[in-house]
Amino acid sequence: MKNIHARISMKLLLVSLMVFGTSTVNAADCAATTTLVAGGSSGAICSGAAFTSGASTTINGDVSAKAAVTLGATSHVSGSVTAGAGFTSGDSAVVDGSVTAKATYTSGANSVVKGNVNAAGNIVLGANSRIIGSVRSGTGVITYGAGATVGKVLK
């Protein structure tokens, strides 16, 4: 009986990979979280509302929220961020992927995005912040803090 269940489970897994592909995130791979306390860590985050992390948090995976995403100072995301509203990062926050925001993008001083930034609203870069990839603002407005840099501005 155990062997039959194992075969059925394997067939279901293979069928789901063929139908949905390997990049599909399911509930088991993603924590339904709206707040991550300061100093906390988590795997991938899927929020049905806004998501806020405290200072010095670590997220090992992508962050996806239906509303705004706010990362505390010195937080680190090892993945991409998708915000259904605005995106804000505290000072010295790092995202090892791209950021997509359906409103404004605001970064704190010395923050780093190691991918592309695509915001429907304005983009405001804190002092000495860096975006390694390309940047696109839906409004065409990008405000640079002192020493802030981007890889390439797309229109």
Side-chain angles (χ1 to χ4, degrees):
M1 187 67 144
K2 194 188 241 185
N3 197 14
I4 291 171
H5 288 304
R7 285 185 196 167
I8 291 171
S9 295
M10 184 57 86
K11 285 182 182 180
L12 287 173
L13 175 63
L14 291 173
V15 168
S16 67
L17 288 174
M18 290 183 335
V19 171
F20 299 112
T22 57
S23 64
T24 300
V25 175
N26 63 45
D29 297 332
C30 190
T33 305
T34 57
T35 305
L36 185 59
V37 298
S41 65
S42 177
I45 300 288
C46 296
S47 175
F51 172 72
T52 301
S53 74
S56 303
T57 57
T58 302
I59 300 166
N60 294 308
D62 295 339
V63 174
S64 177
K66 297 281 184 190
V69 172
T70 303
L71 301 178
T74 67
S75 290
H76 186 227
V77 176
S78 296
S80 293
V81 177
T82 302
F87 171 86
T88 303
S89 70
D91 293 349
S92 301
V94 175
V95 176
D96 288 333
S98 296
V99 175
T100 301
K102 292 195 176 178
T104 60
Y105 169 94
T106 305
S107 68
N110 303 304
S111 63
V112 178
V113 173
K114 296 180 181 177
N116 302 322
V117 170
N118 187 0
N122 295 349
I123 294 176
V124 179
L125 303 170
N128 298 311
S129 64
R130 296 181 296 142
I131 298 172
I132 307 302
S134 63
V135 177
R136 176 176 281 142
S137 164
T139 62
V141 176
I142 302 173
T143 305
Y144 294 84
T149 60
V150 300
K152 180 179 182 181
V153 176
L154 302 175
K155 302 227 180 206

